[in-house]
């Protein structure tokens, strides 16, 4: 039974990591687009990028993404801890 549980846990971790990775890249690309729009250049500088990151951590617009990202992160950490207990 532990073999089936280990495989199921690994598959669940892979699915959650894929969702986490997609959400992270979507969020980072949205932040880059915000920084580019604020700077008016295709390649925003460090100042505009840092402002975009700060807004992403505080702005209501990104609240849903922050919550999803946090929940997925804690779920992955929990599954990793569960896998370590076996």
């Amino acid at each position: 039974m532990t073999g089936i549980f280990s495989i199921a846990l690994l598959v669940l971790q892979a699915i959650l990591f894929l969702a986490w990775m997609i959400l992270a890249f979507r969020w980072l690309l949205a932040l880059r687009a915000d920084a580019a729009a604020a700077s008016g250049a295709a390649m925003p500088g460090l100042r505009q990028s840092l402002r975009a990151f700060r807004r992403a951590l505080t702005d209501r617009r990104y609240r849903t993404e922050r919550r999803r990202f946090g929940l997925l992160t804690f779920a992955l950490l929990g599954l990793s801890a569960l896998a370590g207990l076996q």
Side-chain angles (χ1 to χ4, degrees):
M1 178 103 164
T2 59
I4 294 172
F5 180 72
S6 296
I7 292 172
L9 189 62
L10 183 63
V11 168
L12 185 58
Q13 282 179 324
I15 292 169
L16 279 179
F17 181 72
L18 180 64
W20 183 90
M21 186 178 58
I22 289 170
L23 184 62
F25 278 109
R26 283 182 55 198
W27 197 17
L28 287 174
L29 289 175
L31 294 179
R32 189 218 166 271
D34 287 349
S39 70
M43 297 296 291
L46 181 61
R47 180 175 295 173
Q48 292 298 329
S49 297
L50 290 177
R51 285 182 185 163
F53 275 104
R54 184 176 43 144
R55 280 192 304 265
L57 296 175
T58 59
D59 197 1
R60 289 181 61 100
R61 179 176 141 194
Y62 291 110
R63 183 172 50 185
T64 304
E65 284 83 4
R66 285 192 308 265
R67 286 182 181 167
R68 286 180 186 160
F69 194 71
L71 287 173
L72 282 174
T73 300
F74 284 123
L76 280 171
L77 290 172
L79 286 176
S80 296
L82 186 62
L85 293 177
Q86 286 190 22

